[in-house]
Amino acid sequence: MNNITNGTTATPVNELWDGILLLSVFGTIDSARSKEMMETMLAKVVQTSAKVIVLDILGVAVVDSAVANHLLKIGRATKLIGADTIISGISPEVAVTLVELGIDLEATITTANLSDALQLAFDRTGYTIEQSK
Amino acid sequence: MYANRNILVLTVPADITSTDIAHLYDEISSVAATGGLQGVVVDCSKILAADTIQARRVFRVAKLARLYRLSAVFCCIREGVATALVELDFKPGDVQTATTVDQAMQQLERPDVNLAAS
């Protein structure tokens, strides 16, 4: 569990599916937490040979330029070691803020919600979701 | 260097110099010129530390490969190297990367699953 109030935050990275990792972020993201997230994610990618990381930021309180920069760094680092990052949970307010701040998320893949991110992640890893009849 | 399934696999030496890079470029050019090559895998596992200049030189392999209508996949970049490069504000751009050599080969054989391109 994340313990946001006392500043010590755990970063649980879950292996959602073969080759797909999920990191749900809650609370605030500062430099120390961003560094911890990056290190944990990189280690988990290497350990699992994951191809896609879904970074769900729906629970992040404030997304300003500093937070966006942290997210970009995490995306670049994971890209370098061989995994794609999908940032999900971008609310309309966050999207407007990012545009108004002039933040270019470059080649980062973004989705409005977790289900869209999962769909993309499954496409990337070669899985298809079918409804049973 | 070895070529397997029409894929050229190159290993970048630990302490990379501009001579090493020139050697890599020469190898790609000479193999690509003969034809039949599907892509290039650049194994970066031996690199323990790199600055942005070295990283740019290595990633330029992708541009060279593109001249021969080939794709290049960079693989096995160590966590510490990735973290250091990001802290130095290095931007990998639209290059293809993979965690292992096998994954890199699969990526070249199945270009349709490249998420960044979708």
Side-chain angles (χ1 to χ4, degrees):
Chain A
M1 284 290 280
N2 286 351
N3 187 346
I4 299 158
T5 49
N6 67 2
T8 55
T9 50
T11 310
V13 181
N14 300 306
E15 190 170 8
L16 206 62
W17 206 264
D18 184 28
I20 304 172
L21 301 177
L22 170 67
L23 172 59
S24 295
V25 194
F26 297 94
T28 53
I29 303 176
D30 57 13
S31 300
R33 191 169 181 212
S34 157
K35 192 167 177 267
E36 183 203 352
M37 281 164 58
M38 193 191 295
E39 284 170 0
T40 310
M41 280 175 77
L42 295 180
K44 195 79 176 177
V45 169
V46 171
Q47 185 194 330
T48 61
S49 292
K51 290 179 183 171
V52 183
I53 294 162
V54 178
L55 186 59
D56 188 53
I57 61 164
L58 191 63
V60 176
V62 180
V63 177
D64 56 16
S65 56
V67 171
N69 197 34
H70 291 318
L71 296 173
L72 280 174
K73 275 188 176 179
I74 292 171
R76 281 182 207 141
T78 51
K79 173 74 183 167
L80 279 170
I81 64 161
D84 289 313
T85 302
I86 302 171
I87 299 175
S88 72
I90 297 187
S91 65
E93 294 79 17
V94 168
V96 170
T97 307
L98 290 174
V99 170
E100 283 180 350
L101 288 170
I103 293 161
D104 179 12
L105 286 173
E106 300 167 13
T108 311
I109 303 147
T110 51
T111 62
N113 53 52
L114 192 54
S115 65
D116 286 349
L118 284 178
Q119 183 69 60
L120 270 174
F122 281 126
D123 284 349
R124 170 71 174 88
T125 46
Y127 293 103
T128 49
I129 304 169
E130 280 182 20
Q131 189 175 18
S132 61
K133 291 174 185 174
Chain B
M1 178 200 88
Y2 66 96
N4 182 29
R5 290 179 286 183
N6 300 327
I7 294 170
L8 178 67
V9 182
L10 297 165
T11 303
V12 183
D15 214 2
I16 193 154
T17 61
S18 40
T19 316
D20 296 323
I21 289 291
H23 191 57
L24 280 181
Y25 292 173
D26 284 347
E27 281 188 271
I28 295 171
S29 301
S30 57
V31 177
T34 60
L37 202 60
Q38 199 177 340
V40 181
V41 171
V42 184
D43 177 1
C44 303
S45 60
K46 287 190 177 174
I47 303 174
L48 301 175
D51 58 31
T52 54
I53 295 170
Q54 289 168 320
R56 269 189 217 108
R57 280 178 184 159
V58 174
F59 280 97
R60 228 173 270 152
V61 166
K63 288 183 180 171
L64 178 73
R66 234 170 267 150
L67 291 175
Y68 295 101
R69 299 182 63 81
L70 298 172
S71 297
V73 181
F74 299 85
C75 65
C76 312
I77 297 176
R78 288 170 185 263
E79 299 161 57
V81 174
T83 310
L85 287 174
V86 165
E87 291 303 334
L88 290 168
D89 206 27
F90 176 74
K91 293 168 187 169
D94 63 348
V95 294
Q96 291 185 61
T97 52
T99 47
T100 63
V101 173
D102 280 345
Q103 272 193 7
M105 286 186 154
Q106 283 172 19
Q107 222 163 292
L108 286 171
E109 286 163 356
R110 295 176 58 205
D112 53 308
V113 293
N114 184 9
L115 186 67
S118 63

